[in-house]
């Protein structure tokens, strides 16, 4: 019979790899918590309209990447392709703006996009992201960038570059859009098919094209930076000054635009030299237009999202897989010994030790081999003789040193044992 396999573009994260995920999750929680960001969890699917309005119909995400379906009540629903729209919907729905001041939120979870799967690009992938709602202050832009930088540094990642740009406000962009269309129209026939399509719908996205010929044409294209109003220009300079004050190096990249329509002013990406073509590990910017676009009050906002699969690929290059973090492997044979070992395992666990109990009933030799492979620091051994005398053999696996002691002593000496185990970790 044929077996069922995971859907293309989705992956099982097996126990060995889960450790890296837990590390990224723990460091995220720690770094974001320290900066007073609060976690928010929104549903994995939403009304399709939320993304059409919030992400924008002309974007790749909405036009070709969404998992959209009708449910049994004939509603059009979509698996979330990104986190911001849902967070902003929740912000409006629960009147978080009415609490006044700035809301600092973060999220972590799966996102879904119908894309061509490759290393670092999946159809179900995961993002951790932050949103700061209710501040137009350039310090908010600098803060979110600084936090992204802290998170990546704390994970031990190296060879990262911060690419930074401003795409101005709506009116700067409108003028730039016209200039770009004006410049590109005579070259239309030489652009790649996607870019031809975008020329009127979403011309800024053409800057993102991976096509060689399109990129050559773009070399002489006008730069957004020549279209910033004096106010936008000042804002751009303020954020740069703040980054410099924080010792965060950046590279101004006037070609950097985001695929999402609601971005204004600051846009940035953090890229890695160690990931091949899927180089962007974190991307974000300011989106002052989104909250009102979704029916909320005019609200300034800035945030970013980072792809966990790409962070994990980098971590795996840096750190060998760690062995299991196990204190005791418990080996037993014979009816009485097996009954006692089961109880002993439970008692030790309640005292805070981690204990794996061998359930095989196989010969001692085989159980010892498994103990060696388990990654445990020590092995506890119970046979007929130990069961009779209510003792246990304690074997330190690294040195091979072995001692016999009363079972009760494991419990009364738990503190001393804890220190010994910790010293051997
Ligand atoms: P790309 O140009 O790589 O498609 P994007 O502009 O679509 O990126 P965003 O929507 O800004 O990406 O998402 C933020 C981050 O989420 C990306 O920088 C990347 O790290 C991660 N990401 C996006 N799409 C995927 C995917 N399909 N698989 C894995 N990670 C992804
Ligand atoms: Mg994409």
């Amino acid at each position: 019979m044929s077996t069922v396999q995971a859907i293309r573009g989705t992956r099982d994260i097996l126990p060995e790899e889960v450790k890296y995920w837990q590390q990224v999750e723990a460091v995220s929680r720690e770094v974001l918590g320290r900066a007073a960001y609060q976690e928010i969890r929104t549903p994995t699917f939403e009304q399709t309209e939320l993304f059409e309005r919030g992400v924008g119909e002309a974007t790749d995400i909405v036009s070709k990447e969404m998992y959209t379906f009708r449910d049994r009540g004939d509603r059009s629903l979509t698996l979330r392709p990104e986190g911001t729209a849902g967070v902003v919907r929740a912000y409006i729905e629960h009147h978080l703006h009415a609490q006044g001041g700035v809301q600092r939120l973060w999220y972590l979870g799966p996102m879904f996009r119908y894309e061509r799967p490759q290393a670092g690009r999946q159809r179900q992938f995961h993002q951790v992201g932050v949103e700061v709602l209710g501040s137009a202050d350039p310090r908010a832009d600098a803060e979110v960038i600084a936090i992204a930088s802290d998170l990546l540094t704390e994970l031990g990642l190296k060879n990262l570059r911060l690419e930074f740009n401003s795409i101005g406000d709506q009116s700067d962009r409108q003028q730039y859009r016209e200039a770009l269309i004006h410049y590109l129209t005579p070259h239309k026939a030489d652009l790649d098919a996607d870019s031809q399509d975008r020329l009127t719908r979403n011309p800024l996205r053409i800057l993102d094209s991976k096509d060689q010929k399109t990129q050559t044409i773009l070399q002489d294209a006008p730069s957004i930076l020549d279209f910033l109003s004096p106010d936008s220009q000042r804002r751009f300079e303020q954020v740069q000054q703040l980054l410099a004050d924080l010792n965060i190096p950046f590279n101004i990249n006037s070609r950097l635009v985001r695929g999402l329509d609601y971005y204004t002013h600051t846009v940035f990406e953090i890229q890695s030299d160690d990931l091949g073509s899927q180089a962007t590990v974190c991307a974000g910017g300011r989106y002052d237009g989104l909250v009102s676009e979704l029916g909320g009050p005019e609200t300034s906002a800035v945030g970013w999202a980072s792809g966990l699969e790409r962070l994990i690929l980098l971590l795996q290059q840096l750190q060998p897989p760690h062995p299991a973090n196990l204190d005791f492997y418990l080996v037993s044979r014979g009816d009485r010994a097996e009954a006692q070992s089961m109880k002993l395992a439970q008692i030790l666990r309640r005292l805070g030790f981690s204990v794996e109990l061998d359930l095989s009933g196989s010969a001692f030799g085989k159980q010892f081999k498994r103990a060696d492979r388990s990654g445990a620091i020590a092995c506890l051994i119970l046979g007929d003789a130990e069961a009779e005398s209510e003792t246990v053999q304690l074997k330190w696996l690294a040195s091979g040193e072995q001692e016999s002691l009363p079972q009760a002593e494991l419990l009364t000496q738990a503190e001393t044992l804890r220190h010994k185990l910790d010293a051997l970790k």
Side-chain angles (χ1 to χ4, degrees):
M1 216 162 68
S2 66
T3 54
V4 179
Q5 293 188 320
I7 305 286
R8 181 168 145 83
T10 71
R11 283 180 65 240
D12 298 308
I13 303 168
L14 299 177
E16 186 82 320
E17 189 185 324
V18 166
K19 290 174 195 143
Y20 294 99
W21 287 80
Q22 289 172 337
Q23 184 186 352
V24 175
E25 287 159 11
V27 172
S28 302
R29 198 162 283 130
E30 167 70 25
V31 170
L32 301 170
R34 277 194 320 234
Y37 285 64
Q38 290 183 295
E39 185 178 359
I40 182 166
R41 301 186 186 193
T42 65
T44 321
F45 56 94
E46 300 265 5
Q47 279 185 50
T48 300
E49 187 194 342
L50 174 68
F51 304 113
E52 287 171 349
R53 282 168 59 189
V55 178
E57 311 225 29
T59 58
D60 282 358
I61 293 183
V62 173
S63 61
K64 7 185 211 207
E65 297 175 357
M66 293 209 301
Y67 277 93
T68 296
F69 59 97
R70 297 220 154 247
D71 75 357
R72 289 171 194 272
D74 207 30
R75 302 168 189 91
S76 179
L77 304 181
T78 294
L79 299 183
R80 62 179 184 196
E82 53 92 53
T84 304
V87 170
V88 169
R89 180 201 47 68
Y91 174 83
I92 298 168
E93 188 167 331
H94 302 285
H95 304 289
L96 299 185
H97 44 87
Q99 298 178 5
V102 176
Q103 290 279 321
R104 290 180 166 88
L105 302 170
W106 70 275
Y107 60 84
L108 187 153
M111 308 293 161
F112 306 85
R113 295 184 195 176
Y114 192 80
E115 305 202 57
R116 197 166 65 80
Q118 46 200 297
R121 188 178 296 286
Q122 295 172 200
R123 292 182 174 172
Q124 174 172 345
F125 63 101
H126 298 75
Q127 287 181 336
V128 58
V130 305
E131 318 291 355
V132 176
L133 294 139
S135 176
D137 194 313
R139 286 180 300 166
D141 307 47
E143 176 179 291
V144 296
I145 294 174
I147 285 168
S149 156
D150 276 357
L151 174 57
L152 300 170
T153 308
E154 202 121 329
L155 285 169
L157 304 185
K158 306 222 161 56
N159 306 329
L160 298 171
R161 277 172 287 112
L162 169 61
E163 302 280 301
F164 178 63
N165 193 25
S166 170
I167 53 172
D169 62 17
Q170 299 287 354
S171 121
D172 304 340
R173 249 192 317 167
Q174 190 52 36
Q175 288 175 41
Y176 178 58
R177 200 186 130 102
E178 277 160 28
L180 196 59
I181 295 177
H182 183 77
Y183 170 81
L184 287 173
T185 304
H187 299 285
K188 182 166 181 183
D190 294 324
L191 297 174
D192 60 280
D194 269 351
S195 297
Q196 290 188 8
D197 199 41
R198 286 175 180 143
L199 190 54
T200 47
R201 293 204 308 148
N202 195 359
L204 264 66
R205 281 290 274 148
I206 297 176
L207 300 179
D208 252 358
S209 169
K210 308 268 191 303
D211 183 79
Q212 203 59 52
K213 210 162 165 198
T214 301
Q215 278 303 331
T216 312
I217 295 169
L218 283 168
Q219 273 169 14
D220 297 321
S223 159
I224 179 77
L225 296 179
D226 295 326
F227 289 80
L228 299 184
S229 68
D231 274 357
S232 301
Q233 179 62 32
R234 196 171 58 244
R235 240 195 146 277
F236 187 38
E237 282 162 15
Q238 283 170 328
V239 182
Q240 289 175 50
Q241 184 60 50
L242 290 163
L243 292 175
D245 292 347
L246 291 167
N247 285 321
I248 298 175
F250 58 87
N251 175 34
I252 293 178
N253 177 349
S254 65
R255 292 289 158 76
L256 185 68
V257 291
R258 302 294 305 145
L260 310 183
D261 281 349
Y262 49 67
Y263 281 102
T264 47
H265 299 294
T266 299
V267 286
F268 68 92
E269 284 192 2
I270 301 178
Q271 299 174 353
S272 164
D273 294 334
D274 304 328
L275 275 177
S277 51
Q278 264 42 259
T280 305
V281 293
C282 181
R286 180 161 278 285
Y287 53 93
D288 291 345
L290 181 61
V291 181
S292 58
E293 173 66 35
L294 291 177
E298 285 289 337
T299 307
S300 303
V302 59
W304 51 254
S306 176
L308 295 190
E309 279 74 8
R310 296 183 194 178
L311 297 185
I312 307 279
L313 286 170
L314 291 173
L315 273 184
Q316 286 174 322
Q317 291 175 16
L318 285 174
Q319 303 171 1
H322 331 254
N325 188 8
L326 188 65
D327 295 323
F328 294 116
Y329 192 90
L330 218 166
V331 158
S332 59
R333 195 166 159 80
D335 291 344
R336 276 182 76 188
E338 284 172 5
Q340 284 181 13
S341 66
M342 175 115 224
K343 274 195 210 153
L344 195 59
Q346 275 303 87
I347 294 168
L348 287 168
R349 288 170 187 149
R350 285 185 205 133
L351 288 168
F353 297 102
S354 53
V355 183
E356 180 173 345
L357 177 63
D358 193 305
L359 293 174
S360 66
S362 51
F364 273 123
K366 283 195 173 161
Q367 294 196 45
F368 291 148
K369 282 217 179 86
R370 275 194 290 271
D372 283 331
R373 280 199 304 262
S374 72
I377 299 171
C379 180
L380 293 169
I381 307 153
L382 272 122
D384 293 333
E386 286 78 18
E388 181 68 59
S389 57
E390 298 198 2
T391 57
V392 61
Q393 301 283 334
L394 169 60
K395 182 175 179 189
W396 298 96
L397 287 168
S399 64
E401 218 179 293
Q402 189 165 329
E403 54 191 300
S404 170
L405 67 166
Q407 287 174 27
E409 206 164 290
L410 283 179
L411 319 180
T412 54
Q413 298 296 310
E415 194 92 342
T416 324
L417 217 47
R418 179 77 273 160
H419 289 308
K420 272 198 185 167
L421 288 162
D422 286 345
L424 288 167
K425 267 188 184 151

